[in-house]
């Protein structure tokens, strides 16, 4: 607290008065601090530091906490669920330390460590840490520690989110997990985000590991616009990350830059903000065929399948190596922008029924407990497979089957229905950012 400034005309002869003033000031200052104490007792009682990063290592270096969420969905029982990453074998016991300022007590309960079943042989996996909440207080913060003994003042504290379960604000949020590898596909990024907006997204959440300066500029534009929320994701500062989904490809601690952890955090982060959450990659667009947008599609799908919480969409590959002529649309100014112009890629590989197909999802987050990339692992509702006559995933990337001749690819111009608004919107963004 700043001391009040002395008047400049202060003189030695007023020393006694000055001493009085100093004493008075101290009393005033002291009582002010007292008053502050009662209004924010949290700070004075448990002096731990609130965690600031999006990945917080605990002192064992084998447990990483992303965030803490209140969860009352299980028969109304109050638990706090922390989304984290643990070494699946080395971490056996963890304890939640709840700070109860109203009672001036710390409550400790053992966490149920529920490592997600989709770990793909990596030693580190996404985990839920579930702790019963103390009944006699509604804490705002929780810490996690390997023992029932310790000093809470030295532990990072996590704010318990999702206390407010009433205020649903938007209909669709897209969760994009882990942008990595100095991502520089500006043109596809902007087109994907603009397509999401056209189809009904109000928010796109991106877990950003690394990207180019140009992409940084585009993301800043969208953050200012209010469309994009960027969650920093510096996971390689803590673990060795594999660019592959399975351990056998290249070893390392955790797969695909911790993609599954990011998706679960995104699910909980938006549970009470968004009616539906889409879990897909930036090169994928869940594209309605029978409907103009996600809103009209989901109204029908949900009405026909009221018990479904998860809607699965077929993944169709539109090879970025096979082009349509570039002169159909007036997009020559985009040639200066790095990345793929999706309007040029409307031929898709034939669907292979015999292969394990990697579908993506639209979920009702309030009815999902744990998610993986292509399916949910635990939920309060069933999964419904949406036919490709209703919608499919437009997935523009390197071909799965590069040797297929062009004639065997299927022309699918669904995306072109949106050409006018898409081109207009993309031009606006590019002109404000990279052009
Ligand atoms: C955890 O990692 C930090 C930084 O790498 C290191 O200084 C510390 O000794 C490690 N702690 C344990 C318990 O291994
Ligand atoms: C093509 O687009 C540019 C802006 O990108 C515009 O100035 C020009 O008039 C357009 N040309 C046609 C034929 O629509
Ligand atoms: C572009 O979209 C308009 C509607 O906005 C449509 O009439 C037109 O056929 C589309 N162009 C192509 C080549 O599909």
């Amino acid at each position: 607290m700043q001391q009040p400034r002395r008047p400049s005309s202060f003189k030695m002869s007023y020393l006694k008065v000055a001493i009085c003033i100093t004493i008075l000031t101290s009393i005033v200052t002291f009582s002010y601090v007292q008053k502050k104490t009662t209004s924010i007792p949290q700070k004075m009682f448990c002096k731990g530091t609130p965690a600031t990063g999006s990945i917080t290592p605990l002192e064992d270096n084998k447990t990483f906490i992303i965030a803490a969420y209140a969860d009352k969905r299980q028969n109304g029982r109050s638990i706090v669920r922390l989304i984290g990453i643990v070494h699946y074998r080395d971490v056996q016991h963890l304890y939640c330390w709840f700070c109860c300022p109203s009672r001036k007590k710390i409550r400790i309960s053992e966490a149920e460590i529920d490592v997600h079943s989709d770990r793909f042989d990596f030693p580190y996996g996404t985990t839920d840490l579930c702790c019963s909440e103390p009944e006699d207080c509604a804490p705002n913060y929780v810490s996690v520690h390997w023992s029932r003994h310790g000093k809470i003042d030295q532990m990072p504290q996590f704010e318990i989110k999702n206390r407010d379960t009433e205020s649903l604000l938007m209909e669709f949020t897209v969760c994009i997990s882990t942008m990595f590898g100095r991502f520089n596909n500006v043109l596809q990024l902007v087109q994907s985000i603009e397509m999401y907006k056209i189809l009904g997204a109000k928010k796109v959440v991106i877990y950003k590991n690394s990207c180019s300066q140009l992409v940084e500029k585009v993301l800043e534009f969208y953050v200012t616009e209010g469309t994009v929320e960027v969650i920093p994701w510096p996971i390689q500062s803590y673990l060795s990350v594999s660019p592959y989904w399975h351990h056998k490809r290249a070893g390392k601690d955790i797969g695909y830059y911790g993609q599954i952890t990011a998706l679960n955090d995104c699910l909980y982060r938006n549970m009470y903000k968004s009616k539906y959450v889409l879990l897909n990659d930036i090169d994928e667009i869940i594209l309605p065929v029978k409907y103009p947008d996600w809103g009209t599609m989901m109204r029908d799908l949900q009405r026909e399948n009221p018990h479904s919480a998860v809607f699965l969409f077929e993944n169709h590959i539109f090879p970025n190596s096979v082009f349509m002529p570039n002169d159909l649309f007036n997009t020559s100014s985009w040639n200066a922008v790095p990345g793929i112009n999706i309007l040029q890629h409307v031929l898709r590989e034939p669907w292979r029924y015999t292969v394990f197909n990697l579908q993506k999802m639209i979920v009702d987050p309030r009815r999902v407990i744990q998610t993986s990339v292509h399916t949910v692992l635990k939920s309060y509702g069933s999964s419904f497979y949406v036919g490709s006559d209703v919608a499919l995933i437009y997935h523009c990337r390197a071909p799965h089957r590069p040797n297929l001749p062009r004639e065997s690819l299927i022309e699918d111009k669904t995306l072109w229905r949106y050409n006018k608004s898409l081109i207009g919107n993309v031009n606006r963004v590019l002109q404000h950012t990279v052009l």
Side-chain angles (χ1 to χ4, degrees), residues 112-145:
E112 182 204 323
I113 303 174
D114 187 0
V115 181
H116 290 207
S117 54
D118 268 5
R119 191 165 46 76
F120 305 115
D121 283 354
F122 288 99
Y124 282 84
T126 305
T127 191
D128 291 1
L129 305 174
C130 295
C131 293
S132 292
E133 271 207 67
E135 283 171 10
D136 57 353
C137 83
N140 293 321
Y141 289 90
V142 62
S143 298
V144 179
H145 191 52

Side-chain angles (χ1 to χ4, degrees), residues 149-218:
H149 306 282
K151 290 208 168 92
I152 197 169
D153 295 359
Q154 291 163 10
M155 301 174 195
Q157 294 188 325
F158 302 93
E159 190 191 350
I160 301 170
K161 300 176 191 167
N162 286 0
R163 286 272 186 232
D164 176 12
T165 59
E166 299 298 321
S167 56
L168 265 187
L169 297 175
M170 42 197 146
E171 198 164 17
F172 295 102
T173 297
V174 184
C175 291
I176 303 291
S177 61
T178 60
M179 173 178 280
F180 61 88
R182 284 197 62 76
F183 182 87
N184 191 36
N185 191 345
V186 179
L187 195 49
Q188 191 167 5
L189 170 76
V190 173
Q191 288 177 98
S192 286
I193 292 176
E194 292 306 323
M195 277 307 299
Y196 302 154
K197 285 161 66 182
I198 288 170
L199 294 170
K202 286 285 176 298
K203 190 118 217 166
V204 181
V205 183
I206 298 175
Y207 289 72
K208 189 190 76 179
N209 183 266
S210 84
C211 67
S212 69
Q213 286 294 312
L214 269 186
V215 167
E216 199 76 63
K217 229 170 145 186
V218 169

Side-chain angles (χ1 to χ4, degrees), residues 297-305 311 313 384 386:
M297 175 178 75
M298 289 312 294
R299 264 187 286 284
D300 276 5
L301 287 176
Q302 194 72 80
R303 195 177 50 234
E304 291 156 14
N305 308 280
F311 297 87
F313 296 86
F384 179 78
V386 180

Side-chain angles (χ1 to χ4, degrees), residues 25 52 68 74 100 134 156 185 247 342 376 414 421 430 434:
T25 311
T52 47
Q74 200 183 342
C100 295
N185 191 345
H247 186 251
I342 59 175
V376 300
T414 314
S421 40
L430 294 179
V434 300

Side-chain angles (χ1 to χ4, degrees), residues 330 333 427 431:
N330 181 15
S333 63
N427 277 333
Q431 275 152 22

Side-chain angles (χ1 to χ4, degrees), residues 3-15:
Q3 288 289 67
R5 250 189 292 149
R6 287 170 172 182
S8 54
S9 59
F10 185 78
K11 288 193 184 119
M12 281 302 288
S13 55
Y14 294 122
L15 192 59

